[in-house]
Every structure is written in C-alpha cells, then in structure tokens.
Amino acid sequence: DIQLTQSPSFLSASVGDRVTITCRASQGISSHLAWYQQKPGKAPKLLIYAASTLQSGVPSRFSGSGSGTEFILTIRSLEPEDFATYYCQQVSVYPVTFGQGTRLEIK
Amino acid sequence: QVQLVESGGGVVQPGRSLRLSCAASGFTFSAYPMHWVRQAPGKGLEWVAVISSDGSTTYYAGSVKGRFTISRDNSKNTLYLQMNSLETEDTAVYYCARYYDISGLRWFDPWGQGTPVTVSS
C-alpha cells in the first residue's frame, strides 16, 4: 500500500499567516493527489485535485503543487474559516490512502 | 443539487451485521463509481471500498475484505455497504462519496454527511 505522510501533524497560526502543509508518498503517484478540508462534525470537503487544480468554489488563497512523491498545500493568507484539519489522498492505485491529517489551529 | 445521504448506522454487538445505505440525488447516479470511507472517533480518514458505475467491479481495504460487501441499485439511486462479523475496530462514522475519474483526473466529491456505527457489547 502507498503510505502518505503529512507534516506537520499540528500547526498553530494566526489570521493572515501563510502556511504550508507537505504530503510525502512512499512511492511515486504522478499527480494523483487530492487535498480535503474537514471541520469538526462535518464531512471532508474537496479543495484541490490532480495535485494543483483548485476545485470550483474554493477560494484562490488555497493552492497545491508537486508531483511524484512530494506535494504541498499552501494557504496564502489565513482566514478564520480555514482553521480545520487537512488531509491529502492518493488516488493513483488501490487501496486509496489518506495522510494522517494536519490540524490547523488558531494561535 | 447534488446530494448524498447515508442511513442505517447504529449500535450493534460484535459479530453482528449492519447494512448502510447512501441515497443519491441531483446527478446521474449510474454514471459514477462510488466509495465508502470511514473515520474512527478522533482518528483520520480510512478508505473502505469502491464499486464501479455498473456494479461489476469492486475493491476493498484489507481490514474489511471478506466481511464487508459494497453494492448498488442504480434503479433506486442507492449505494449499500453490508457489514458482517463486525468488530469493535469498525466503530466509525461511515461516509459515501462520489468518484470522479475523467481523463486521469480523480477525486471524491461530494461526500455524504456520514452515518455513525458503534460496535459494542
């Protein structure tokens, strides 16, 4: 199975900060990576697919980059509603796998 | 609008069975593969199973293979997850999700609101 490792697992930041979350795959997955945001008690919400394509309706302060084994999610200027948990997901091969999550909290 | 609504969750004893349903609306259900994903309390997301648009092909996570069965009824726009021989480790919120796989671009969207399953004696 392909393992995804996110770093950091926990991130404390302030409104207006720029943050980056890294997702590393245990083997190459081309650009078959998606990012999701999840708030407590809610279903995950798609942010980015194909490593760098912003889902319709997602604010442009979110961006993704990378291919192969290293991927980055960047939030350019944090808004209060961005404080949540973020997951990467590989959809290259079955079984589909997720990173362990990055919890983004307000400093 | 596109919507997925899960149901069927509840409290069940170890070794017993439960069937989850996911009712789809707002899109052509029969055109899309569908997934189940679960999330144990306080934990991350774990993929469970996928079924092709016509129901002919399925894949499972190793942790549920042989115990869970994914199926669908395209005439009823409904996805199912039959869970047998339940274990305490199966306690989780179970989400269904629509799968996009177009020209090599792949993602899960939307997701249902989830249905909680608790396996406990």
Side-chain angles (χ1 to χ4, degrees):
Chain A
D1 298 1
I2 295 176
Q3 184 175 4
L4 297 180
T5 303
Q6 289 182 231
S7 59
S9 294
F10 178 83
L11 186 54
S12 181
S14 301
V15 172
D17 285 353
R18 177 181 181 273
V19 299
T20 62
I21 299 169
T22 298
C23 177
R24 290 187 172 86
S26 59
Q27 62 190 75
I29 57 171
S30 185
S31 296
H32 297 305
L33 188 105
W35 290 96
Y36 298 86
Q37 176 193 68
Q38 187 180 33
K39 296 182 178 180
K42 300 295 186 181
K45 172 189 171 184
L46 175 69
L47 298 176
I48 287 168
Y49 62 90
S52 60
T53 303
L54 198 65
Q55 170 70 342
S56 176
V58 174
S60 60
R61 61 181 179 273
F62 290 91
S63 64
S65 64
S67 68
T69 60
E70 184 155 333
F71 303 85
I72 296 172
L73 173 69
T74 300
I75 311 174
R76 191 176 64 239
S77 178
L78 282 170
E79 297 286 343
E81 61 267 29
D82 299 337
F83 292 93
T85 300
Y86 293 85
Y87 293 94
C88 58
Q89 175 204 42
Q90 70 81 16
V91 284
S92 178
V93 296
Y94 289 113
V96 169
T97 49
F98 293 88
Q100 81 278 13
T102 295
R103 185 178 172 188
L104 175 56
E105 291 203 339
I106 299 176
K107 185 182 290 183
Chain B
Q1 74 280 19
V2 175
Q3 192 172 15
L4 298 171
V5 178
E6 300 95 336
S7 61
V11 180
V12 62
Q13 293 179 327
R16 303 299 291 266
S17 299
L18 204 60
R19 189 177 82 157
L20 307 182
S21 299
C22 168
S25 60
F27 66 100
T28 305
F29 178 70
S30 61
Y32 293 88
M34 296 292 295
H35 291 262
W36 286 100
V37 176
R38 67 185 181 182
Q39 186 169 35
K43 302 297 184 182
L45 301 169
E46 180 188 15
W47 176 79
V48 173
V50 61
I51 187 167
S52 60
S53 57
D54 65 359
S56 63
T57 302
T58 58
Y59 293 103
Y60 297 90
S63 58
V64 307
K65 194 170 185 179
R67 299 188 299 121
F68 289 12
T69 301
I70 188 172
S71 63
R72 64 192 298 160
D73 186 338
N74 286 344
S75 68
K76 296 182 178 179
N77 292 340
T78 303
L79 174 73
Y80 301 101
L81 186 67
Q82 177 68 42
M83 304 186 294
N84 298 332
S85 304
L86 281 161
E87 303 168 353
T88 55
E89 293 76 17
D90 297 318
T91 294
V93 174
Y94 285 74
Y95 297 99
C96 60
R98 184 178 65 173
Y99 187 43
Y100 266 90
D101 185 356
I102 301 173
S103 301
L105 303 179
R106 304 167 187 162
W107 65 91
F108 290 21
D109 183 68
W111 298 54
Q113 86 288 351
T115 187
V117 173
T118 301
V119 183
S120 173
S121 54

